[in-house]
Structure formats: structure tokens, C-alpha cells
Amino acid sequence: GGMEKIKQHTFALAHYTYTVLSTLKYANGAPVVRIYSDTDFSNPDVQGPVINFNVLSENGEVIGFSQVDKMASLYNIHVRTGCFCNTGACQMHLGISNEDIQKNLQAGHVCGDDIDIVDGHPTGSVRISFGYMSSFEDAQTFLKFIIATRLSKLDTEIPFQSSVTKLTTESIPDDHSSFNNADKLSPIPHILERELRNNLSATETTVNWQPPEAKAESIRAAVSETAVPTCRRDGKPITISNIYLYPIKSCSAFEVTEWPVGNQGLLYDRNWMVVNQNGVCMTQKQEPRLCLVNPSVDLKKKVMIIQAEGMEPISVSLEENTGKEPMIYESRVCSHRVKTYDCGERIAGWFSRFLGRPCRLIRQSSDMKNRSHQTNTKGLASATNISLSLVNEAQYLLINVASILQLKEHISARLEKPLEIEELIQRFRANIVICAPESFEEEEWAEISIGALRFQVVGPCSRCQIICIDQQSGERNKEILQSLSAARGRKTNFGIYLMNQPLCSSFPDVLSVGSQVLPMLKENTEIQPPTSSKEKCSG
């Protein structure tokens, strides 16, 4: 039917989605989304098949677009976020002044980043669009995603399901005059207004994800991001309980009790990665079975041994093969070009057989000049000269057992089978696990010292769908990320990134389990050391 039919088809989908989104309400009557549009979606000649919006909380606060994007990825939905290369429209619809733009830039916000909220105000929005290949089922999938993540605790009670079989995709008449009245669009697709109202009413009365106010307040207090004491409770020390390195990016962890520190982090941490036949980094997002690959490093024998169920163990030398010219691979995950060495056909065949697709193992070259830390590290000396391995953000990731325990209560309440603490620790894939008296107090630290090592905190870790993957089986459960978002006030931060600032000391640079952690608060007030160094936090 040509472009005219495509216009009719895509506009019908957009109009339907717009109509449902506009009607969604929380139990308290507050809207679920705020739509930004100059039209009422009544005429395809002036309104394209694009919907621009922000998701709101039940209190009317905007939920950052990066959080919505991460949730959408769990449902295999791709959305565009930010200002869409249209700063003027962004300022107009979001009420952003020129002064606000400058203030956002000073806060570190740049085009394409995840800084979606500054001082409580959004820096961008979410956009969905329909094309000729889009279907009514696609629109339904998107609406079910919004309803499941905003209006229910569990992904079960979703309205409109009873109406799906009654909805039809009747073609829009060629006469565009029918679009001059929005009421005339109701049969395209055919939805009985009464059915829509009844379904929404049922949603408001039977699907109430919001906990009782008293419980809600206790949750907010329990997972507060700011309420942190300035001294140790009962004089208990903070100690390292676990140390993990991940020799191969996105593969299983290798747990150690003590390990040397290199100029990029833990020695050999994320020095290798698996790439597809195009040289693009593969992670658990695309290939969850990577978590079943178990690498271990033998420093004495100078080899890395790689194991997986059903496969013969295979070894890789720790000695860099300087006899081969390094190749340049572009990793979309790291967003950098990295200079690497290919580990050869034997290793490539091993990974290809296990994963069932062509892939190769590559190793980062010792020439580290091509990868340095570029993000905002205020107060970190020579930040741009600090080299990185194949990590995404920083040299180290730290999590707190007390924070894990606090989060475990909220996640377990939403799951049929409660998670064990060890399983949650594995899902968060940290390098350093500490045992501190208070949950989430690590988010108020500016620096920490461990023996002769000094670390700068460079920001929180905003979690993605990888925490939804069971690191023992490779199975996904999207409820994990949704639970984290709900428990943390619609954010997905968990853990903090660290960069190493070596101290001038005669002590060897080694991290050990049981070592004491001395933090410095963001207000530059040093936390008092514990009265007894013999006490250790269990767990």
C-alpha cells in the first residue's frame, strides 16, 4: 500500500499506545507517565508515530530515563533516551532554563550519559517510536512492561489481556478527515471505551504494589542513601570479607584470600575478554553462559586455567606473547578501542564449542596508554593517567555485606524461593566485599585506606540486567533488578567504584581478606578507628 498505508498503520499503533498511557493511574489517582506532545494524537499529518514521555512515581516525581531504559531492556524493549539531539524542545517541554543547562554541565552531565536527574529535575526523557514492521503485539508488550513495573509487585496481574482477542487492526480510512476528531479513532484498533475503563479500574483496585505507609517508611529508612553515622557502631572495625577477580571479562569469579595489586587493579583482573567474529566484546547480556566459564590464575606456574562443565580444562600462559603484532579490536561494551593480542586458534575453538557460536579470546596489550580513566574524578590526582583493564568504569568495585543483607530482605519478599547471601554477592560481581556495621554507609565515603593502599571513591555503580543472571546456572530472573529499583527508591545503584592511589610505602601492594578498611567521609571527616582491632564482623 505504500507510504500512505505505512503512515496509517504506524499512527494507529501510536494513537492506541498514547490513549492507554494517558489513562494509566496509580491507586492514589496520580498519573503513571507524563507525555510531552504538541498534539492530541488526532491527526497523522501533524503527529508522527513517536511518543515522548517520562515515567512518574506515585508521588509525582520523575523516574530517571536511564532507570527506565534498564528496566525496558529486561523486557527486550529498546527505547531512546535523553534529549534526542534537540536541546530546544527538551528545554521547552521539561522547563529547563539556560541557567539549568549550565548547572547540569557543571554537575558533569553530557550528551549520552546516565545523569538523568539533577537536583530533582529530569535532564531528558524516554521516547518510543513505531515503524512499518511494528505490530499491535509490540504495543501491547510495551504497555504490559509499564504496567508490570509500575502497578504491581509481581509480573502477573496485567490488564488488557482479556481484551487482546477483541482488539483488531482495522485499516484507517483513506479520508483523513476521520482524524480530525479523536473520538472517531476509538475503533482503530477497536477498543470499547467501557472495557478500557473497567480494566483500568480493576488495575487501580486490585493491583496495588505500594506497601502500607508505615511499611513504606520503614523501607525508605532501611535503605536510606544518606543516613550514615560518622563513627563505628560499638567500635566494630570494617574488614575485607572476600576478594574476587574476573580474569576473563563477564566470566565466572576467581576468589582469593590475598592477591597482588597492579597498576590497573587486582593483578590480571579482566585482562582477557571473549569477542564475536566481528571483534566486539561479548558479555553476559548477550551470552549468559559466559558465567559458567571458570578461569583461575596460578601465579607460580604463570598460567590461567579455564574450565567449564563438559569441557576439558585448557590453559593460557600469563606471559604476554610479544612475538605477535597486537591487533586493534573495538569493544562496544568498554566504548574504547583497546590494543589486544589474540590468544590463538586452540583457545578460540574451545570457547566456540562451549558457547555454540564463533568467538575468540583476546588479551589486552601491556601498552596501556590507549585506555585511561576519563570520567569525573574530582580530587583524584592524575586521574586521566590512571590506566584501566577491560573494565567498564573503574579499577575496583566494592560492596558491603550489610547492604546485601538489607537488600536480601526486600528481594526475597518478591521471590518464590529466597536467595542465599552468597548468591547475591556473586550476582553483584564485586572485587572487594567488606563487612561493615551499617548498610549503605559506603555510599558516604570519599576515600578508603587498606594497609598501604589508598583508594578514591569515584561514584556509585548503576546496575544493569547482569544482576538478573544466576551466576551458577546462567538463568535470568528480571525480578532481581526490579526489586533493587523498588528497594532503592527507583534507582539501581549498588556498590561503589574505586580507583587506586598508591601510597609511598615499603609495604608490598597486596590485598588480603581480614584487612581493616579505614574510610574517610565525603565531608572530609575521618572516621574514628575502632577501639579494638581484634573484633571482626562475621558473614
Side-chain angles (χ1 to χ4, degrees), residues 417-444:
K417 183 180 178 181
L419 297 178
E420 297 296 330
I421 182 71
E422 293 79 9
E423 181 181 346
L424 270 178
I425 290 176
Q426 291 173 359
R427 286 175 183 261
F428 285 109
R429 298 178 62 81
N431 296 112
I432 302 171
V433 182
I434 63 166
C435 198
E438 300 293 338
S439 61
F440 298 105
E441 64 174 282
E442 65 275 12
E443 295 182 351
E444 289 300 311

PDB file of all heavy atoms in Angstrom, residues 417-444:
ATOM      1  N   LYS A 417      11.370 -18.357  45.796  1.00  0.00           N
ATOM      2  CA  LYS A 417      12.464 -19.012  46.506  1.00  0.00           C
ATOM      3  C   LYS A 417      13.463 -17.961  46.944  1.00  0.00           C
ATOM      4  O   LYS A 417      14.094 -17.322  46.108  1.00  0.00           O
ATOM      5  CB  LYS A 417      13.153 -20.046  45.601  1.00  0.00           C
ATOM      6  CG  LYS A 417      14.256 -20.823  46.290  1.00  0.00           C
ATOM      7  CD  LYS A 417      14.898 -21.817  45.334  1.00  0.00           C
ATOM      8  CE  LYS A 417      16.035 -22.578  46.005  1.00  0.00           C
ATOM      9  NZ  LYS A 417      16.692 -23.534  45.070  1.00  0.00           N
ATOM     10  N   PRO A 418      13.644 -17.774  48.261  1.00  0.00           N
ATOM     11  CA  PRO A 418      14.581 -16.738  48.739  1.00  0.00           C
ATOM     12  C   PRO A 418      16.003 -17.013  48.262  1.00  0.00           C
ATOM     13  O   PRO A 418      16.408 -18.165  48.083  1.00  0.00           O
ATOM     14  CB  PRO A 418      14.473 -16.857  50.265  1.00  0.00           C
ATOM     15  CG  PRO A 418      13.172 -17.542  50.514  1.00  0.00           C
ATOM     16  CD  PRO A 418      12.955 -18.466  49.357  1.00  0.00           C
ATOM     17  N   LEU A 419      16.754 -15.942  48.053  1.00  0.00           N
ATOM     18  CA  LEU A 419      18.132 -16.065  47.618  1.00  0.00           C
ATOM     19  C   LEU A 419      19.065 -16.168  48.824  1.00  0.00           C
ATOM     20  O   LEU A 419      18.835 -15.552  49.863  1.00  0.00           O
ATOM     21  CB  LEU A 419      18.532 -14.855  46.783  1.00  0.00           C
ATOM     22  CG  LEU A 419      17.789 -14.627  45.463  1.00  0.00           C
ATOM     23  CD1 LEU A 419      18.282 -13.354  44.799  1.00  0.00           C
ATOM     24  CD2 LEU A 419      17.967 -15.811  44.535  1.00  0.00           C
ATOM     25  N   GLU A 420      20.123 -16.945  48.661  1.00  0.00           N
ATOM     26  CA  GLU A 420      21.147 -17.019  49.687  1.00  0.00           C
ATOM     27  C   GLU A 420      22.076 -15.813  49.544  1.00  0.00           C
ATOM     28  O   GLU A 420      22.251 -15.255  48.467  1.00  0.00           O
ATOM     29  CB  GLU A 420      21.950 -18.318  49.554  1.00  0.00           C
ATOM     30  CG  GLU A 420      21.126 -19.577  49.754  1.00  0.00           C
ATOM     31  CD  GLU A 420      20.558 -19.678  51.167  1.00  0.00           C
ATOM     32  OE1 GLU A 420      21.217 -19.162  52.097  1.00  0.00           O
ATOM     33  OE2 GLU A 420      19.477 -20.267  51.331  1.00  0.00           O
ATOM     34  N   ILE A 421      22.719 -15.438  50.647  1.00  0.00           N
ATOM     35  CA  ILE A 421      23.582 -14.270  50.648  1.00  0.00           C
ATOM     36  C   ILE A 421      24.741 -14.458  49.673  1.00  0.00           C
ATOM     37  O   ILE A 421      25.146 -13.529  48.964  1.00  0.00           O
ATOM     38  CB  ILE A 421      24.100 -13.985  52.076  1.00  0.00           C
ATOM     39  CG1 ILE A 421      24.968 -12.723  52.099  1.00  0.00           C
ATOM     40  CG2 ILE A 421      24.863 -15.172  52.633  1.00  0.00           C
ATOM     41  CD1 ILE A 421      24.212 -11.465  51.914  1.00  0.00           C
ATOM     42  N   GLU A 422      25.284 -15.695  49.589  1.00  0.00           N
ATOM     43  CA  GLU A 422      26.404 -15.947  48.678  1.00  0.00           C
ATOM     44  C   GLU A 422      25.982 -15.753  47.232  1.00  0.00           C
ATOM     45  O   GLU A 422      26.760 -15.260  46.404  1.00  0.00           O
ATOM     46  CB  GLU A 422      26.946 -17.366  48.883  1.00  0.00           C
ATOM     47  CG  GLU A 422      27.615 -17.613  50.227  1.00  0.00           C
ATOM     48  CD  GLU A 422      26.616 -17.847  51.345  1.00  0.00           C
ATOM     49  OE1 GLU A 422      25.395 -17.989  51.036  1.00  0.00           O
ATOM     50  OE2 GLU A 422      27.030 -17.867  52.523  1.00  0.00           O
ATOM     51  N   GLU A 423      24.749 -16.140  46.899  1.00  0.00           N
ATOM     52  CA  GLU A 423      24.271 -15.981  45.529  1.00  0.00           C
ATOM     53  C   GLU A 423      24.155 -14.506  45.159  1.00  0.00           C
ATOM     54  O   GLU A 423      24.500 -14.107  44.044  1.00  0.00           O
ATOM     55  CB  GLU A 423      22.927 -16.676  45.350  1.00  0.00           C
ATOM     56  CG  GLU A 423      22.380 -16.578  43.929  1.00  0.00           C
ATOM     57  CD  GLU A 423      21.038 -17.256  43.757  1.00  0.00           C
ATOM     58  OE1 GLU A 423      20.633 -18.029  44.653  1.00  0.00           O
ATOM     59  OE2 GLU A 423      20.389 -17.001  42.726  1.00  0.00           O
ATOM     60  N   LEU A 424      23.671 -13.691  46.093  1.00  0.00           N
ATOM     61  CA  LEU A 424      23.562 -12.263  45.807  1.00  0.00           C
ATOM     62  C   LEU A 424      24.936 -11.629  45.630  1.00  0.00           C
ATOM     63  O   LEU A 424      25.132 -10.782  44.752  1.00  0.00           O
ATOM     64  CB  LEU A 424      22.803 -11.564  46.941  1.00  0.00           C
ATOM     65  CG  LEU A 424      21.286 -11.472  46.794  1.00  0.00           C
ATOM     66  CD1 LEU A 424      20.678 -10.806  48.013  1.00  0.00           C
ATOM     67  CD2 LEU A 424      20.899 -10.714  45.531  1.00  0.00           C
ATOM     68  N   ILE A 425      25.885 -12.023  46.458  1.00  0.00           N
ATOM     69  CA  ILE A 425      27.239 -11.492  46.321  1.00  0.00           C
ATOM     70  C   ILE A 425      27.792 -11.828  44.950  1.00  0.00           C
ATOM     71  O   ILE A 425      28.408 -10.978  44.284  1.00  0.00           O
ATOM     72  CB  ILE A 425      28.152 -12.058  47.434  1.00  0.00           C
ATOM     73  CG1 ILE A 425      27.756 -11.454  48.788  1.00  0.00           C
ATOM     74  CG2 ILE A 425      29.620 -11.770  47.129  1.00  0.00           C
ATOM     75  CD1 ILE A 425      28.530 -12.022  49.963  1.00  0.00           C
ATOM     76  N   GLN A 426      27.561 -13.052  44.483  1.00  0.00           N
ATOM     77  CA  GLN A 426      28.042 -13.454  43.159  1.00  0.00           C
ATOM     78  C   GLN A 426      27.389 -12.630  42.056  1.00  0.00           C
ATOM     79  O   GLN A 426      28.042 -12.252  41.083  1.00  0.00           O
ATOM     80  CB  GLN A 426      27.775 -14.943  42.934  1.00  0.00           C
ATOM     81  CG  GLN A 426      28.617 -15.861  43.801  1.00  0.00           C
ATOM     82  CD  GLN A 426      28.205 -17.310  43.675  1.00  0.00           C
ATOM     83  OE1 GLN A 426      27.263 -17.647  42.953  1.00  0.00           O
ATOM     84  NE2 GLN A 426      28.897 -18.179  44.387  1.00  0.00           N
ATOM     85  N   ARG A 427      26.109 -12.338  42.199  1.00  0.00           N
ATOM     86  CA  ARG A 427      25.398 -11.585  41.170  1.00  0.00           C
ATOM     87  C   ARG A 427      25.949 -10.159  41.024  1.00  0.00           C
ATOM     88  O   ARG A 427      25.936  -9.596  39.928  1.00  0.00           O
ATOM     89  CB  ARG A 427      23.899 -11.519  41.488  1.00  0.00           C
ATOM     90  CG  ARG A 427      23.146 -12.822  41.245  1.00  0.00           C
ATOM     91  CD  ARG A 427      21.708 -12.688  41.691  1.00  0.00           C
ATOM     92  NE  ARG A 427      20.956 -13.920  41.545  1.00  0.00           N
ATOM     93  CZ  ARG A 427      20.146 -14.193  40.526  1.00  0.00           C
ATOM     94  NH1 ARG A 427      19.985 -13.298  39.557  1.00  0.00           N
ATOM     95  NH2 ARG A 427      19.484 -15.327  40.477  1.00  0.00           N
ATOM     96  N   PHE A 428      26.419  -9.572  42.122  1.00  0.00           N
ATOM     97  CA  PHE A 428      26.877  -8.187  42.061  1.00  0.00           C
ATOM     98  C   PHE A 428      28.335  -8.073  41.622  1.00  0.00           C
ATOM     99  O   PHE A 428      28.829  -6.961  41.464  1.00  0.00           O
ATOM    100  CB  PHE A 428      26.645  -7.498  43.404  1.00  0.00           C
ATOM    101  CG  PHE A 428      25.202  -7.154  43.643  1.00  0.00           C
ATOM    102  CD1 PHE A 428      24.446  -7.828  44.583  1.00  0.00           C
ATOM    103  CD2 PHE A 428      24.598  -6.147  42.910  1.00  0.00           C
ATOM    104  CE1 PHE A 428      23.110  -7.508  44.796  1.00  0.00           C
ATOM    105  CE2 PHE A 428      23.263  -5.815  43.112  1.00  0.00           C
ATOM    106  CZ  PHE A 428      22.516  -6.504  44.052  1.00  0.00           C
ATOM    107  N   ARG A 429      29.046  -9.162  41.451  1.00  0.00           N
ATOM    108  CA  ARG A 429      30.335  -9.234  40.777  1.00  0.00           C
ATOM    109  C   ARG A 429      31.315  -8.147  41.231  1.00  0.00           C
ATOM    110  O   ARG A 429      31.871  -7.403  40.420  1.00  0.00           O
ATOM    111  CB  ARG A 429      30.139  -9.192  39.259  1.00  0.00           C
ATOM    112  CG  ARG A 429      29.335 -10.373  38.736  1.00  0.00           C
ATOM    113  CD  ARG A 429      29.103 -10.303  37.250  1.00  0.00           C
ATOM    114  NE  ARG A 429      30.328 -10.336  36.482  1.00  0.00           N
ATOM    115  CZ  ARG A 429      31.016 -11.437  36.166  1.00  0.00           C
ATOM    116  NH1 ARG A 429      30.596 -12.626  36.574  1.00  0.00           N
ATOM    117  NH2 ARG A 429      32.125 -11.356  35.452  1.00  0.00           N
ATOM    118  N   ALA A 430      31.521  -8.071  42.529  1.00  0.00           N
ATOM    119  CA  ALA A 430      32.439  -7.088  43.098  1.00  0.00           C
ATOM    120  C   ALA A 430      33.853  -7.660  43.169  1.00  0.00           C
ATOM    121  O   ALA A 430      34.054  -8.876  43.141  1.00  0.00           O
ATOM    122  CB  ALA A 430      31.972  -6.669  44.478  1.00  0.00           C
ATOM    123  N   ASN A 431      34.831  -6.758  43.283  1.00  0.00           N
ATOM    124  CA  ASN A 431      36.205  -7.171  43.552  1.00  0.00           C
ATOM    125  C   ASN A 431      36.465  -7.284  45.042  1.00  0.00           C
ATOM    126  O   ASN A 431      37.133  -8.216  45.496  1.00  0.00           O
ATOM    127  CB  ASN A 431      37.203  -6.163  42.957  1.00  0.00           C
ATOM    128  CG  ASN A 431      37.134  -6.080  41.459  1.00  0.00           C
ATOM    129  OD1 ASN A 431      36.729  -5.066  40.911  1.00  0.00           O
ATOM    130  ND2 ASN A 431      37.527  -7.137  40.777  1.00  0.00           N
ATOM    131  N   ILE A 432      35.945  -6.310  45.793  1.00  0.00           N
ATOM    132  CA  ILE A 432      36.176  -6.260  47.233  1.00  0.00           C
ATOM    133  C   ILE A 432      34.831  -6.302  47.946  1.00  0.00           C
ATOM    134  O   ILE A 432      33.956  -5.476  47.680  1.00  0.00           O
ATOM    135  CB  ILE A 432      36.930  -4.974  47.623  1.00  0.00           C
ATOM    136  CG1 ILE A 432      38.268  -4.883  46.870  1.00  0.00           C
ATOM    137  CG2 ILE A 432      37.164  -4.917  49.130  1.00  0.00           C
ATOM    138  CD1 ILE A 432      38.955  -3.538  47.038  1.00  0.00           C
ATOM    139  N   VAL A 433      34.671  -7.269  48.837  1.00  0.00           N
ATOM    140  CA  VAL A 433      33.470  -7.361  49.666  1.00  0.00           C
ATOM    141  C   VAL A 433      33.887  -7.055  51.094  1.00  0.00           C
ATOM    142  O   VAL A 433      34.805  -7.690  51.629  1.00  0.00           O
ATOM    143  CB  VAL A 433      32.825  -8.760  49.581  1.00  0.00           C
ATOM    144  CG1 VAL A 433      31.544  -8.804  50.414  1.00  0.00           C
ATOM    145  CG2 VAL A 433      32.539  -9.136  48.134  1.00  0.00           C
ATOM    146  N   ILE A 434      33.240  -6.076  51.695  1.00  0.00           N
ATOM    147  CA  ILE A 434      33.585  -5.686  53.057  1.00  0.00           C
ATOM    148  C   ILE A 434      32.462  -6.041  54.013  1.00  0.00           C
ATOM    149  O   ILE A 434      31.314  -6.231  53.612  1.00  0.00           O
ATOM    150  CB  ILE A 434      33.883  -4.176  53.153  1.00  0.00           C
ATOM    151  CG1 ILE A 434      32.636  -3.360  52.784  1.00  0.00           C
ATOM    152  CG2 ILE A 434      35.072  -3.798  52.287  1.00  0.00           C
ATOM    153  CD1 ILE A 434      32.725  -1.889  53.161  1.00  0.00           C
ATOM    154  N   CYS A 435      32.815  -6.108  55.268  1.00  0.00           N
ATOM    155  CA  CYS A 435      31.830  -6.321  56.318  1.00  0.00           C
ATOM    156  C   CYS A 435      31.847  -5.090  57.212  1.00  0.00           C
ATOM    157  O   CYS A 435      32.799  -4.872  57.965  1.00  0.00           O
ATOM    158  CB  CYS A 435      32.179  -7.576  57.104  1.00  0.00           C
ATOM    159  SG  CYS A 435      30.816  -8.227  58.060  1.00  0.00           S
ATOM    160  N   ALA A 436      30.821  -4.257  57.090  1.00  0.00           N
ATOM    161  CA  ALA A 436      30.716  -3.021  57.861  1.00  0.00           C
ATOM    162  C   ALA A 436      29.467  -3.080  58.739  1.00  0.00           C
ATOM    163  O   ALA A 436      28.513  -3.802  58.426  1.00  0.00           O
ATOM    164  CB  ALA A 436      30.653  -1.814  56.921  1.00  0.00           C
ATOM    165  N   PRO A 437      29.444  -2.336  59.827  1.00  0.00           N
ATOM    166  CA  PRO A 437      28.291  -2.384  60.731  1.00  0.00           C
ATOM    167  C   PRO A 437      27.004  -1.843  60.122  1.00  0.00           C
ATOM    168  O   PRO A 437      25.923  -2.345  60.424  1.00  0.00           O
ATOM    169  CB  PRO A 437      28.726  -1.522  61.915  1.00  0.00           C
ATOM    170  CG  PRO A 437      30.208  -1.471  61.836  1.00  0.00           C
ATOM    171  CD  PRO A 437      30.533  -1.537  60.384  1.00  0.00           C
ATOM    172  N   GLU A 438      27.091  -0.831  59.267  1.00  0.00           N
ATOM    173  CA  GLU A 438      25.901  -0.167  58.766  1.00  0.00           C
ATOM    174  C   GLU A 438      25.708  -0.432  57.277  1.00  0.00           C
ATOM    175  O   GLU A 438      26.663  -0.391  56.496  1.00  0.00           O
ATOM    176  CB  GLU A 438      25.991   1.344  58.998  1.00  0.00           C
ATOM    177  CG  GLU A 438      26.132   1.751  60.456  1.00  0.00           C
ATOM    178  CD  GLU A 438      24.895   1.454  61.285  1.00  0.00           C
ATOM    179  OE1 GLU A 438      23.808   1.337  60.682  1.00  0.00           O
ATOM    180  OE2 GLU A 438      25.009   1.328  62.509  1.00  0.00           O
ATOM    181  N   SER A 439      24.473  -0.675  56.884  1.00  0.00           N
ATOM    182  CA  SER A 439      24.166  -0.868  55.469  1.00  0.00           C
ATOM    183  C   SER A 439      24.229   0.458  54.730  1.00  0.00           C
ATOM    184  O   SER A 439      23.833   1.502  55.252  1.00  0.00           O
ATOM    185  CB  SER A 439      22.775  -1.492  55.301  1.00  0.00           C
ATOM    186  OG  SER A 439      21.778  -0.655  55.836  1.00  0.00           O
ATOM    187  N   PHE A 440      24.801   0.418  53.544  1.00  0.00           N
ATOM    188  CA  PHE A 440      24.882   1.554  52.621  1.00  0.00           C
ATOM    189  C   PHE A 440      25.717   2.724  53.147  1.00  0.00           C
ATOM    190  O   PHE A 440      25.691   3.804  52.565  1.00  0.00           O
ATOM    191  CB  PHE A 440      23.486   2.046  52.216  1.00  0.00           C
ATOM    192  CG  PHE A 440      22.695   0.990  51.490  1.00  0.00           C
ATOM    193  CD1 PHE A 440      21.663   0.310  52.128  1.00  0.00           C
ATOM    194  CD2 PHE A 440      23.002   0.662  50.180  1.00  0.00           C
ATOM    195  CE1 PHE A 440      20.955  -0.681  51.471  1.00  0.00           C
ATOM    196  CE2 PHE A 440      22.301  -0.337  49.523  1.00  0.00           C
ATOM    197  CZ  PHE A 440      21.270  -1.012  50.157  1.00  0.00           C
ATOM    198  N   GLU A 441      26.460   2.519  54.221  1.00  0.00           N
ATOM    199  CA  GLU A 441      27.310   3.610  54.675  1.00  0.00           C
ATOM    200  C   GLU A 441      28.450   3.852  53.692  1.00  0.00           C
ATOM    201  O   GLU A 441      29.019   4.954  53.640  1.00  0.00           O
ATOM    202  CB  GLU A 441      27.871   3.326  56.072  1.00  0.00           C
ATOM    203  CG  GLU A 441      28.800   2.138  56.178  1.00  0.00           C
ATOM    204  CD  GLU A 441      29.410   2.042  57.580  1.00  0.00           C
ATOM    205  OE1 GLU A 441      30.345   2.823  57.846  1.00  0.00           O
ATOM    206  OE2 GLU A 441      28.949   1.227  58.381  1.00  0.00           O
ATOM    207  N   GLU A 442      28.783   2.863  52.885  1.00  0.00           N
ATOM    208  CA  GLU A 442      29.867   3.024  51.914  1.00  0.00           C
ATOM    209  C   GLU A 442      29.579   4.125  50.894  1.00  0.00           C
ATOM    210  O   GLU A 442      30.502   4.676  50.278  1.00  0.00           O
ATOM    211  CB  GLU A 442      30.136   1.697  51.180  1.00  0.00           C
ATOM    212  CG  GLU A 442      29.011   1.189  50.315  1.00  0.00           C
ATOM    213  CD  GLU A 442      27.962   0.368  51.071  1.00  0.00           C
ATOM    214  OE1 GLU A 442      27.972   0.376  52.326  1.00  0.00           O
ATOM    215  OE2 GLU A 442      27.129  -0.275  50.407  1.00  0.00           O
ATOM    216  N   GLU A 443      28.313   4.468  50.723  1.00  0.00           N
ATOM    217  CA  GLU A 443      27.952   5.492  49.745  1.00  0.00           C
ATOM    218  C   GLU A 443      28.290   6.904  50.224  1.00  0.00           C
ATOM    219  O   GLU A 443      28.200   7.853  49.451  1.00  0.00           O
ATOM    220  CB  GLU A 443      26.463   5.386  49.408  1.00  0.00           C
ATOM    221  CG  GLU A 443      26.119   4.075  48.711  1.00  0.00           C
ATOM    222  CD  GLU A 443      24.658   3.968  48.332  1.00  0.00           C
ATOM    223  OE1 GLU A 443      23.872   4.835  48.767  1.00  0.00           O
ATOM    224  OE2 GLU A 443      24.311   3.022  47.610  1.00  0.00           O
ATOM    225  N   GLU A 444      28.667   7.029  51.487  1.00  0.00           N
ATOM    226  CA  GLU A 444      29.055   8.329  52.026  1.00  0.00           C
ATOM    227  C   GLU A 444      30.563   8.481  52.138  1.00  0.00           C
ATOM    228  O   GLU A 444      31.049   9.452  52.704  1.00  0.00           O
ATOM    229  CB  GLU A 444      28.408   8.540  53.402  1.00  0.00           C
ATOM    230  CG  GLU A 444      26.904   8.779  53.344  1.00  0.00           C
ATOM    231  CD  GLU A 444      26.559  10.001  52.528  1.00  0.00           C
ATOM    232  OE1 GLU A 444      27.165  11.065  52.754  1.00  0.00           O
ATOM    233  OE2 GLU A 444      25.704   9.885  51.633  1.00  0.00           O
TER     234      GLU A 444
END
